[in-house]
Amino acid sequence: MNQRDFISYCQSELGDAYVLVESKDQVPYLSDWRNRYHGKALAVLLPKTTQEVAKIVKACDQALISIVPQGGNTSMCGAATPNDSGQQIVLNLKRMNAIREINPSNQTMVVESGCILQTVQEAAKTQGFLFPLSLGAQGSCQIGGNLATNAGGTNVLRYGNARELCLGLEVVTAQGEILHGLRSLRKDNTGFDLRDLYIGSEGCLGIITAAVIKLYPLPQTKWTALVAVPNIPATIELLSLFQKRTAALLSGFEMMSKDSLDLTAKQFPHMKNPLTNDPFYTVLVELSDHEGEEHARNLMEQVLEAAFEAGIANDAVIASNLSQAQSFWTMREHITMAQAQEGANLKHDISLPISELDTFITETDQLIRDQFTGVRIINFGHLGDGNLHYNIAPPLGVNASEFNRVHEEAIHDVVYSQVEKHHGSISAEHGIGQLKLPDLEAHRGSVAHQLMRSIKTALDPKNIMNPGKVLP
Ligand code: FAD
Ligand code: MLT
Ligand code: ZN
């Protein structure tokens, strides 16, 4: 089947309106959210059903046309952007957005991949449940992309990554077969775990078309506070105080450095840190409870008092209502937008053992400041999971893109060698995509890398599934 026949086959299967061949129609699908990667596409396809996806993949398998699966296109690693050959298709799942079932007894939902995360959260809430995956991109990222990247976000501390929130998958394989795996079983030990193979595979093994996701009881009360902390050791002591005293109620523990909040206030002047003593580090901590108001509130106050007595906190504000709590989270989630608005920046989505955080930050801050004068270290993230977004903004007044072009590799080398030294990961939650493809083998080792390539060859021998992402 040649390309012309392929396009008319897709048009006959999907309808002309859902086969975008005009470049003006393709624009929203060809660049990544950070505007770092730009590609071309033979066509952008918008299927509505699993059967349509299967037919397209079968045709691609025959015509040897490679596929870039795409959800909300919010990847931080260029994982959903086609290359510049113009020979690939982008297969965007946004039309597959049905919520197929909510089952209160199983505490599960069956959702199609194109469901936007926020829509799924809201649908769960109307039924009195919580779907806990929560991240800054939730207004546009889709469940398919969340599972394909094993997304993390701000509730991992209590509920885990996307992987822990999924019981079953429906997948179209690289040969266009449909894997019917939408099982709602909490226990199912029947052979290799194919579901976990596809979760986190970044579109390189197959296309996730639907999932059975777990629902949780909706917390009755939430108490949220901002806490001023003098240094990282104190932040870690505060984390362990909350873990010991509040245990399963602790549902969020984010750290924001002064530089990260200063940048946010500069880009969004109405989002100033309510803690007025200009703290070096600010922690956003949240307790979610199923008991009445008082229990969580008393706990929050007791732990903060203990923190003041121990000298690990020197100021704090407890949100007096839900909208104030939301304003704390909005400030936190706007750090990423502030960086994007400020211009090109270098991201390091890293994780470390909690015990290594302080020495990593002390040493790496020093190395970066010594070697790259004037850069700003925008360090923030999900500290409760040991996940830092250790991002570097160019010095003020220089051409950001030019600065990054010259220094990006050297800065990555400093940060990633420090990550290795402190037994961390070079990608805590954003995945590998194309951005970190060159770093993967050195980081994971040749045996692990070879095993990944063997799995890729076994499941996608023709290498039509998102080639050039994750693996060479
Ligand atoms: P896309 O970007 O469209 O695709 C991502 C990858 O998944 C690609 O490899 C693509 O090929 C593949 N893919 C997409 N859909 C499918 C499918 N149906 N089947 C198979 N493969 C598929 N991430 C976090 O983990 N935690 C955060 O806190 C976080 N915060 C963010 C904040 C902002 C403001 C932004 C812009 C991004 C943030 N991200 C975060 C990154 C991003 O939102 C996540 O990686 C998200 O899970 C990507 O979902 P998506 O639908 O946009 O996927
Ligand atoms: C976030 O947690 O806001 C993002 O994952 C961080 C980033 O954009 O670097
Ligand atoms: Zn994050």
Side-chain angles (χ1 to χ4, degrees), residues 275-297:
L275 295 172
T276 50
N277 64 350
D278 214 7
F280 222 61
Y281 290 101
T282 300
V283 165
L284 193 168
V285 57
E286 184 161 89
L287 302 181
S288 304
D289 198 4
H290 296 280
E291 289 193 30
E293 294 280 309
E294 289 318 302
H295 178 243
R297 165 144 206 145

Side-chain angles (χ1 to χ4, degrees), residues 349-353 357 385-388 419 422-428:
D349 160 39
I350 59 176
S351 56
L352 296 150
L357 282 170
D385 319 324
N387 179 188
L388 297 178
V419 165
H422 293 281
H423 319 295
S425 168
I426 62 168
S427 185

